[in-house]
Amino acid sequence: MWWRGTCAALFVSSTTPVLADTITVSAAASLKPVFDTLVRDFEAETGHSAQVNFAGSSLLARQIELGAPVDVFVSANQQWMDHLEIIGWVENANRFQLAGNRLALVSSSEDDQSADVEPVLSNLEGPDRIAMGLVTAVPAGEYGKAALEYLELWDDLRDQVVQVDNVRAALTLVHLGETRLGVVYATDAASLAEVHLVGLFPSESHPRIEYPVAVIGQSPSDAALEFLAFLRSDVTKSRLKQFGFLPANP
């Protein structure tokens, strides 16, 4: 008799039975396009299932801290992963860097396309708005504020910034024409043809954009560890490159 549950089912191969589990992954919102594909790859390769919750890294980390049942966490910066490691939810041995990214300025106006970041920001009209992640919590917002401060534009533009819960929400505001500009990741900028890339911020204008990944808890399941191994695989590296992410730094 088959045992049915939300977390496990028995799959039978030609040799020995294999226990297939369902894992829960919390991943930064900017990873959604590539992770939708990676999850299908992982499930086809292993027989396991993965349910992914996409949101801002700060919200996901707080959920884990409060005991949300999460097996794997992928953050859009090191700070939130460091926080979980400090309070005991992450072990360094089960953590590594998945990928990198660049910070981009996008526009709802085709006239801004490839016009360079600084001139477009410097000539922003009074009613125009800039969509960004929360500048005190969401990694993309923190990177964006740092970049505007580097360009000495933050004080002039802060009142025109519309802060949202995650970087994909910022992209959506630009896509809908609710804001003229948005500060997002380069991978987000490439994901919608209707959103126009103005340019990339100088890499020295903000902290390095990194995506650390780790299993959660001191006794991870075999399926969670298999997913972590899968994220180290050539298949994952190829997918990340396909979607425009940078290789992980050593």
Side-chain angles (χ1 to χ4, degrees):
M1 182 175 182
W2 290 96
W3 177 74
R4 291 181 176 270
T6 59
C7 292
L10 191 64
F11 287 73
V12 180
S13 69
S14 59
T15 53
T16 58
V18 177
L19 189 65
D21 290 329
T22 296
I23 61 170
T24 299
V25 180
S26 286
S30 54
L31 291 166
K32 187 179 190 310
V34 67
F35 260 61
D36 285 345
T37 300
L38 284 173
V39 164
R40 291 193 293 269
D41 293 336
F42 171 73
E43 292 176 341
E45 181 176 305
T46 66
H48 297 306
S49 297
Q51 298 175 343
V52 189
N53 178 32
F54 296 103
S57 300
S58 56
L59 175 61
L60 296 174
R62 294 301 188 193
Q63 290 173 344
I64 293 168
E65 185 176 1
L66 292 172
V70 175
D71 297 292
V72 176
F73 175 46
V74 193
S75 173
N77 69 5
Q78 299 288 358
Q79 287 82 353
W80 285 111
M81 192 68 78
D82 290 343
H83 173 72
L84 291 178
E85 184 172 340
I86 288 168
I87 62 177
W89 283 103
V90 167
E91 292 189 353
N92 188 263
N94 290 327
R95 167 182 174 175
F96 68 95
Q97 186 178 323
L98 179 66
N101 214 331
R102 291 290 306 275
L103 194 67
L105 183 70
V106 294
S107 176
S108 58
S109 171
E110 192 172 357
D111 293 339
D112 292 329
Q113 186 169 357
S114 303
D116 290 335
V117 168
E118 194 166 357
V120 169
L121 289 168
S122 298
N123 294 306
L124 204 62
E125 299 293 337
D128 290 330
R129 295 291 179 265
I130 309 168
M132 293 172 56
L134 294 165
V135 301
T136 58
V138 174
E142 295 174 333
Y143 296 133
K145 181 183 177 184
L148 293 178
E149 288 177 333
Y150 176 89
L151 297 174
E152 299 183 349
L153 292 171
W154 173 252
D155 289 340
D156 293 333
L157 297 177
R158 63 192 307 164
D159 292 338
Q160 292 168 267
V161 171
V162 178
Q163 299 185 47
V164 292
D165 289 340
N166 61 71
V167 71
R168 295 297 289 186
L171 183 71
T172 298
L173 287 181
V174 180
H175 180 218
L176 296 175
E178 296 294 329
T179 66
R180 176 181 165 188
L181 300 175
V183 179
V184 299
Y185 297 121
T187 50
D188 298 307
S191 67
L192 288 175
E194 301 85 353
V195 172
H196 308 287
L197 176 64
V198 179
L200 300 177
F201 286 90
S203 57
E204 67 272 16
S205 69
H206 55 82
R208 188 190 304 272
I209 299 171
E210 300 175 321
Y211 290 84
V213 56
V215 292
I216 300 300
Q218 298 182 351
S219 300
S221 68
D222 289 342
L225 292 174
E226 284 187 54
F227 187 68
L228 207 68
F230 174 77
L231 292 181
R232 291 183 180 269
S233 71
D234 289 340
V235 170
T236 294
K237 291 175 183 177
S238 177
R239 289 295 192 195
L240 289 166
K241 182 178 180 180
Q242 175 188 345
F243 281 81
F245 289 87
L246 300 177
N249 292 307

